[in-house]
């Protein structure tokens, strides 16, 4: 990473902020996977790699639900009963494009893009527990309509 960019993102006064200080993840595995993929090892790339893997896991969970309900007569009723949202709402969730992230004041922030804020309730019903665990494990912060969780 460019040193001046690093200093702008991760320094406050004379102190450096570690965006991964609260992370309880296997960095050896993350770095190993990044090296295998040919990624440059920078704080920005590590954060992106962690977020993208998590978003991919969310997408897989959604696809598993779609596959599991393919033979169900009334998908909407089944999904409403089991997940609290309709099949149509589940199908409309696109974690890899709807959820965005940014670095601000040395923190990794996750949030829904402005054009998909209306999906927030569906995301919380489907992935709220996963999101909370991810934030606990990584120290990243999800901001929900202006409030951090």
């Amino acid at each position: 990473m460019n040193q001046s960019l690093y200093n702008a993102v991760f320094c406050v006064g004379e102190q450096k902020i570690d965006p991964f200080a609260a992370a309880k993840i296997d960095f050896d595995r993350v770095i190993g996977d990044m090296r295998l993929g040919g990624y440059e090892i920078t704080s920005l790339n590590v954060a992106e790699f962690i977020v993208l893997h998590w978003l991919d896991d969310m997408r897989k969970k959604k696809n598993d639900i779609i596959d599991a309900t393919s033979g169900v007569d009334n998908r909407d009723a089944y999904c409403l009963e089991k997940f609290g949202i309709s099949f149509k709402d589940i199908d409309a969730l696109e974690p890899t494009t709807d959820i965005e992230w940014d670095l601000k004041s040395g923190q990794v922030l996750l949030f829904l893009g402005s054009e998909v804020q209306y999906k927030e309730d569906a995301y919380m019903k489907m992935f709220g527990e996963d999101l909370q665990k991810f934030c606990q494990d990584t120290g990243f912060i999800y901001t929900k309509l202006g409030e951090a969780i």
Side-chain angles (χ1 to χ4, degrees):
M1 175 184 271
N2 176 306
Q3 189 62 40
S4 60
L5 176 60
Y6 179 88
N7 289 338
V9 173
F10 298 113
C11 291
V12 175
E14 294 298 315
Q15 294 183 319
K16 289 197 187 311
I17 297 172
D18 181 359
F20 307 112
K24 299 174 215 134
I25 60 175
D26 183 357
F27 280 103
D28 290 333
R29 183 186 62 79
V30 169
I31 300 301
D33 288 350
M34 289 180 72
R35 284 193 175 125
L36 281 174
Y39 289 88
E40 180 183 358
I41 310 300
T42 65
S43 296
L44 190 63
N45 286 349
V46 169
E48 180 178 30
F49 192 82
I50 292 168
V51 170
L52 290 178
H53 269 58
W54 173 67
L55 293 175
D56 194 46
D57 290 345
M58 288 174 69
R59 186 188 50 78
K60 287 176 187 173
K61 181 178 179 178
K62 172 196 150 181
N63 288 341
D64 288 346
I65 291 168
I66 290 171
D67 290 344
T69 59
S70 65
V72 175
D73 288 336
N74 188 346
R75 288 179 171 187
D76 271 340
Y78 175 83
C79 290
L80 274 169
E81 182 179 319
K82 185 153 176 119
F83 306 108
I85 60 174
S86 70
F87 176 81
K88 182 178 134 183
D89 289 339
I90 292 171
D91 193 36
L93 301 177
E94 293 297 336
T96 53
T97 57
D98 292 347
I99 297 177
E100 299 178 16
W101 69 279
D102 199 3
L103 287 170
K104 192 167 198 123
S105 301
Q107 293 288 329
V108 179
L109 303 177
L110 306 165
F111 52 93
L112 281 176
S114 60
E115 64 279 350
V116 293
Q117 294 267 324
Y118 68 94
K119 294 182 184 180
E120 189 136 49
D121 285 340
Y123 270 103
M124 290 303 122
K125 287 178 183 176
M126 262 316 289
F127 301 112
E129 290 176 20
D130 298 328
L131 174 62
Q132 215 165 29
K133 182 170 178 1
F134 178 73
C135 289
Q136 286 173 347
D137 290 347
T138 60
F140 297 175
I141 298 170
Y142 177 79
T143 56
K144 178 183 176 184
L145 295 175
E147 61 185 66
I149 63 168

